Amino acid sequence: MEKEKVLNFLDKYDYSYSEKDNSIFVKLELAQQVTIEFEVPNKIIIKDKLIGWNFLTGIITMSLKNAFIYNFVGLILLGFICLYSENTENGINLIVLFLVFITWIILFSGFYLIKLEGFKNQIMNWTK
């Protein structure tokens, strides 16, 4: 019953999806994929991952949570590189690169997180 409600929702709002056994794979914008699993009766499990080329992990496929950790580690490494290789004699200022990287991560992390949570809320409200 729950699966049919979710399929009706996806059809009504023209989401691109595919089915396999007790799972539905939904493609969201900018290489984000959500997996909706119906293995446990009366319980919907929603998982996410960034696939293909995306703005947070490049070509590496991983969940949004792991992408946050991946980018945090990259941010720390880039921060140390920027701190210890500061060279303003040649006009190269790596702090600007660091700030651009931080802005990039914040913008796209927010986008992917808002898109995922909004989709989860829509699914949960539709199945009630």
Side-chain angles (χ1 to χ4, degrees):
M1 182 65 175
E2 299 291 324
K3 187 174 180 180
E4 289 80 25
K5 287 182 181 179
V6 172
L7 289 174
N8 288 338
F9 168 79
L10 295 174
D11 286 333
K12 182 176 181 177
Y13 293 104
D14 289 331
Y15 280 99
S16 175
Y17 68 91
S18 61
E19 289 182 73
K20 185 177 181 185
D21 298 328
N22 288 328
S23 299
I24 301 173
F25 303 96
V26 183
K27 291 183 181 179
L28 299 180
E29 295 175 356
L30 298 177
Q32 188 174 19
Q33 181 179 354
V34 176
T35 304
I36 306 169
E37 297 177 353
F38 301 95
E39 298 291 329
V40 181
N42 297 325
K43 186 174 183 183
I44 299 174
I45 299 170
I46 299 177
K47 298 178 182 176
D48 70 287
K49 65 180 169 179
L50 299 171
I51 57 173
W53 192 92
N54 61 73
F55 290 102
L56 286 181
T57 63
I59 58 171
I60 302 170
T61 299
M62 65 179 67
S63 69
L64 190 57
K65 178 184 172 185
N66 290 338
F68 290 154
I69 295 168
Y70 172 76
N71 281 302
F72 181 71
V73 170
L75 191 67
I76 289 172
L77 292 174
L78 184 62
F80 281 126
I81 291 170
C82 290
L83 276 174
Y84 291 114
S85 66
E86 183 66 31
N87 185 3
T88 56
E89 292 176 10
N90 297 332
I92 300 172
N93 191 351
L94 293 179
I95 299 298
V96 174
L97 176 67
F98 183 68
L99 294 175
V100 167
F101 187 66
I102 288 173
T103 305
W104 181 274
I105 290 173
I106 290 171
L107 285 175
F108 283 103
S109 294
F111 173 80
Y112 285 122
L113 187 62
I114 290 169
K115 193 74 173 167
L116 175 65
E117 292 301 320
F119 182 75
K120 282 182 181 179
N121 286 335
Q122 288 176 335
I123 291 293
M124 292 302 149
N125 289 336
W126 190 265
T127 56
K128 288 184 179 181

